[in-house]
Amino acid sequence: MRRPRRHDLVWLRAGAAVDLTACSTAAAADVDRWRRAGRPLVCARSDDQPTERVRLGLTLPGTGERRRVSLTTARADVERSTPPPPLASLLDALPAAHRPSLHAFAERCTGLRITPRVYGSLLWQSLSGKPCLRDDSDLDLLFDLEDPAPLPALLALLRHADGALRLDGEIRCGAHAVAWRELAAALDGRSPRRVLAKSDDGIVLIDVGDLWPARSCAA
């Protein structure tokens, strides 16, 4: 089984042991209830974890202060993992007023052969069935681009997206993911070309020209 990537949904084997030493007793009970309901956790950056361990996260449902739980487990106890769900599959979980503009946005992404995937508040709302989106919530989207050719069109689409929900998130190019706004500013010359890039294992500063080796990512 492949190692889960950051933002992947992760289901653990029944009875899998998890390390919750950094969590309160109440948070540990919340994690236990979440798992017993058959819901997935989300893969986080491994950072200092050995290769046989994975770090997972859970944001408990609610519209108040975010309650985030971090835990680790053995990679061998991962039963299955999947990429985060496509935006098109979660449109019905959004307030009705947001659906038309985001449906149009998802269709335009399809035309570019790009699948926007959802993480953050909308993901947790869809998994829990409880409200998680607040009035000031962003919509967090992940775009996987193995080839930089569609990048200029995607950035233009993101810049001009209309709708009440602010579109946030990352563009992932192979091993690294960069916040799309930071990437756009670097390519436009409005900020330094070195951007904060997150991998499955850590964070580095990288020149935008090195995100897609031997290929151009000029916008």
Side-chain angles (χ1 to χ4, degrees), residues 55-119:
R55 187 183 301 278
L56 305 173
L58 166 64
T59 299
L60 296 168
T63 56
E65 183 179 353
R66 297 299 185 214
R67 297 176 296 154
R68 296 181 173 90
V69 181
S70 178
L71 55 125
T72 64
T73 191
R75 183 179 168 188
D77 280 328
V78 173
E79 184 172 67
R80 66 186 176 98
S81 63
T82 68
L87 172 62
S89 71
L90 296 188
L91 292 175
D92 287 346
L94 288 164
H98 298 317
R99 293 174 197 164
S101 62
L102 289 170
H103 176 75
F105 175 82
E107 285 197 329
R108 293 188 185 106
C109 287
T110 298
L112 297 174
R113 297 185 179 180
I114 297 171
T115 301
R117 296 185 178 276
V118 176
Y119 65 100

Side-chain angles (χ1 to χ4, degrees), residues 44-57:
R45 274 197 333 269
S46 297
D47 289 345
D48 56 351
Q49 292 297 308
T51 56
E52 68 272 14
R53 304 284 295 178
V54 292
R55 187 183 301 278
L56 305 173

